[in-house]
Amino acid sequence: QVQLQESGPGLVKPSQTLSLTCVVSGGSIRSGNYHWNWVRQSPGKGLEWLGCISYSETIYYNPSLKSRITILVDTSKNQFSLRLDSVTAADTAVYYCARDGVDWGQGTLVTVSS
Amino acid sequence: DIQMTQSPPSLSASVGDRVTITCRASQGINNALAWYQQKPGKAPKLLIYRASTLQSGVPSRFSGSGSGTDFTLTINSLQPEDVATYYCQKYNSVPFTFGPGTRVDF
């Protein structure tokens, strides 16, 4: 079973960029027909799918995030990343990375505040 | 975009009850639907995929059905450890939208 671990700053100032990394262990990010996802959950709210990168390195984004989101993969480090620009308080959430819907990271809380 | 709704938003049940949660898509999604269980402070756990296929290791009291626009998650003989919020998610096309969730408690 693969393990995923999110990492990144827990506090980001408004208008700045949120950057998170998901390190994958116990399996290669290049193997299998998987989608590597980012999902977030605002405090007390439901789950929101942000985007994913497929096994063929095709990237899909939630249109609601428009041009603010970037997902990249670094196969040499077996990790993928999330970048969210121009953040506001509404981007405060627990951010999860996941392999398809099967394997999930523990989540990391990112607070947007000055 | 296809919208996902769930009903009810919350429910209270007793140990041993049969619980049914409904998920509806605003357009047909074939059987590209998953169900998740999430407990407070934890990541979601996949229960069902392809609308009715039980994920490995998930107790058989959980079952899913449906196709097209209407789907159901059933928990037969509710157990104390089933207290959680349940989400459906479509994955036929981007965005892979989640339903708003159904909270199950006693």
Side-chain angles (χ1 to χ4, degrees), chain B residues 45-97:
Chain B
K45 173 187 176 182
L46 179 66
L47 301 175
I48 303 279
Y49 62 96
R50 217 174 290 148
S52 60
T53 302
L54 193 68
Q55 172 67 7
S56 175
V58 174
S60 59
R61 64 180 180 273
F62 292 92
S63 64
S65 64
S67 183
T69 60
D70 295 317
F71 303 87
T72 299
L73 173 70
T74 300
I75 310 173
N76 282 302
S77 189
L78 190 72
Q79 298 301 301
E81 60 268 30
D82 299 335
V83 169
T85 301
Y86 294 83
Y87 295 92
C88 61
Q89 183 194 26
K90 74 163 193 74
Y91 54 91
N92 66 311
S93 63
V94 172
F96 300 156
T97 307

Side-chain angles (χ1 to χ4, degrees), chain A residues 40-67:
Chain A
R40 71 180 179 183
Q41 186 167 37
S42 299
K45 303 297 185 182
L47 300 167
E48 180 183 16
W49 179 81
L50 303 181
C52 69
I53 184 163
S54 75
Y55 57 94
S56 60
E57 299 196 23
T58 303
I59 301 173
Y60 303 96
Y61 296 133
N62 191 326
S64 68
L65 296 170
K66 298 182 180 178
S67 59

Side-chain angles (χ1 to χ4, degrees), chain A residues 64-105:
Chain A
S64 68
L65 296 170
K66 298 182 180 178
S67 59
R68 295 201 298 135
I69 185 172
T70 303
I71 294 176
L72 298 173
V73 65
D74 186 338
T75 54
S76 68
K77 296 182 179 179
N78 218 38
Q79 64 186 38
F80 61 110
S81 62
L82 169 72
R83 172 187 169 116
L84 190 62
D85 297 326
S86 305
V87 297
T88 70
D91 295 309
T92 293
V94 174
Y95 286 77
Y96 295 99
C97 58
R99 183 181 75 163
D100 288 338
V102 180
D103 300 298
W104 293 70

Side-chain angles (χ1 to χ4, degrees), chain B residues 1-23:
Chain B
D1 292 350
I2 297 174
Q3 304 303 312
M4 306 299 292
T5 58
Q6 285 183 236
S7 60
S10 64
L11 65 90
S12 292
S14 299
V15 173
D17 282 354
R18 182 180 185 182
V19 169
T20 300
I21 298 169
T22 297
C23 175

